[in-house]
Amino acid sequence: MAASFRQLSPTFAAEVGGVDCAKPLTPDEVAAIEAGMDRYAVLVFRGQDLTDAQQIAFTRHFGELESYNTPGHIRRRHEQRLGPGIADFSNLTKAGDIMPADDRIWFFKLGDRLWHSDSSFRPVPAKYSLLSGRVIPTWGANTEFADMRAAYDALDDRTKAEIEPLVCLHSLIYSRAAIGFTELTPEEREAFRPVRQRLVRTHPVTGRKSLFLASHAGAIEGWTIPEAQVFLRDLTEHATQRKFVYSHQWRVGDLVMWDNRQTMHRARRFDDRNEVRDVRRTTLAGDVATIEQAA
Ligand SMILES: [Fe+2]
């Protein structure tokens, strides 16, 4: 059965039918899903009851897994609940208990409730992320996505010209400071040194331009910090208007795949003191630093 697409939002996002993500894909299926990603930027696969190994295998049809030796996650390997290749975005400790509210790992996770693009704080940011819903709370916990191509297209010409050459600095230091979490160790500050990212990206296949924003962006080269932060906040407000947003309401067995080069996303709140949310992410490495892309 061929993959079918049903668009979920006026400008982007689609639900995919006819694909079993637990099984190896044919080259035609891979091509159809990649074309769907280029067009819709967010794809939702319902009813996919995946093991971690199956999620990793599905992800690898579309490129190489992102892997870093430097900590992007604060938890060290032996403190982690899941094996290599898949990241834990639950509110659980390694022992399977709900994480204490004052756990600093939880503080890092809370930063994901701000709009962002995965790994924009890395020199080469992520391509796709794939999030699998294993345990879903009874209330809240949507993931919202914003179409950064539609947001770019809707800018006035003067703003488009102004932002074309701009380079932002991205770091976990900025996004965590935005929620008042500033108690980082010297090692963390070193690991989270800001990286340069273009503010305007061009999609390598479609040629469409998009805004590359994230709460990780805290400075613009050549600008003062207050000028940069007020401008980035203004652009983020523009880009996250409801007309550019798809809000995903999770069901157990959903696999949601998004293109970090064309979208931003954020997690929404839930009863994280009393309910478990177990979602697991695989991430595909990007292939080029945005700074090397022609303006
Ligand atoms: Fe994220």
Side-chain angles (χ1 to χ4, degrees):
M1 188 174 159
S4 62
F5 299 89
R6 182 176 69 84
Q7 195 162 328
L8 297 167
S9 183
T11 68
F12 75 134
E15 185 172 320
V16 185
V19 176
D20 182 348
C21 302
K23 296 210 180 101
L25 300 179
T26 65
D28 283 352
E29 285 177 315
V30 172
I33 292 167
E34 280 180 337
M37 287 297 285
D38 291 343
R39 177 166 175 187
Y40 299 108
V42 177
L43 295 179
V44 175
F45 303 81
R46 300 275 193 188
Q48 306 291 335
D49 183 18
L50 301 176
T51 64
D52 291 354
Q54 286 168 334
Q55 183 176 342
I56 291 167
F58 178 79
T59 303
R60 294 192 64 206
H61 285 105
F62 306 100
E64 291 301 315
L65 297 181
E66 186 178 70
S67 70
Y68 283 93
N69 296 323
T70 52
H73 308 280
I74 304 314
R75 261 190 282 205
R76 300 186 212 302
R77 182 79 253 156
H78 69 271
E79 298 166 335
Q80 292 173 12
R81 194 169 61 93
L82 309 180
I86 191 156
D88 186 0
F89 281 81
S90 75
N91 58 332
L92 298 173
T93 64
K94 187 180 180 182
D97 302 318
I98 288 179
M99 211 170 260
D102 60 354
D103 188 323
R104 69 195 304 280
I105 294 169
W106 182 242
F107 295 162
F108 274 98
K109 288 173 176 285
L110 284 172
D112 292 337
R113 298 198 189 171
L114 303 179
W115 286 105
H116 66 283
S117 175
D118 290 334
S119 298
S120 80
F121 52 86
R122 312 263 197 202
V124 177
K127 182 186 177 192
Y128 301 162
S129 295
L130 296 88
L131 197 61
S132 160
R134 309 295 176 89
V135 179
I136 301 300
T138 58
W139 176 86
N142 279 20
T143 303
E144 293 187 340
F145 297 91
D147 183 351
M148 304 303 280
R149 309 163 304 178
Y152 176 86
D153 290 346
L155 293 170
D156 63 81
D157 289 343
R158 182 191 167 118
T159 305
K160 283 181 185 167
E162 184 180 18
I163 64 176
E164 187 70 27
L166 295 182
V167 172
C168 297
L169 298 179
H170 290 234
S171 169
L172 279 168
I173 297 170
Y174 297 129
S175 52
R176 275 48 192 170
I179 58 167
F181 176 37
T182 53
E183 286 96 53
L184 303 177
T185 65
E187 294 74 26
E188 285 167 343
R189 286 187 183 280
E190 175 64 18
F192 304 156
R193 272 198 318 273
V195 300
R196 302 171 74 221
Q197 304 289 5
R198 281 195 184 282
L199 182 49
V200 178
R201 296 188 75 165
T202 304
H203 191 276
V205 177
T206 66
R208 284 190 75 179
K209 288 186 174 177
S210 58
L211 282 170
F212 193 46
L213 289 169
S215 59
H216 306 307
I220 301 173
E221 285 186 349
W223 292 39
T224 66
I225 292 287
E227 275 180 314
Q229 293 206 352
V230 96
F231 186 51
L232 290 170
R233 182 173 294 203
D234 192 50
L235 285 175
T236 301
E237 282 182 14
H238 161 78
T240 55
Q241 296 174 72
R242 299 320 289 181
K243 62 184 174 184
F244 303 134
V245 171
Y246 163 65
S247 185
H248 183 71
Q249 190 171 358
W250 286 90
R251 296 181 209 149
V252 171
D254 286 351
L255 180 70
V256 181
M257 179 173 183
W258 65 89
D259 187 341
N260 288 294
R261 303 168 304 181
Q262 314 192 74
T263 58
M264 273 204 297
H265 60 280
R266 65 171 175 179
R268 302 313 314 271
R269 68 196 175 91
F270 64 101
D271 185 2
D272 52 50
R273 296 300 100 220
N274 296 297
E275 288 201 86
V276 172
R277 177 178 189 247
D278 187 352
V279 294
R280 303 181 184 193
R281 195 183 88 191
T282 42
T283 313
L284 283 174
D287 43 20
V288 68
T290 63
I291 213 71
E292 285 162 23
Q293 166 203 296

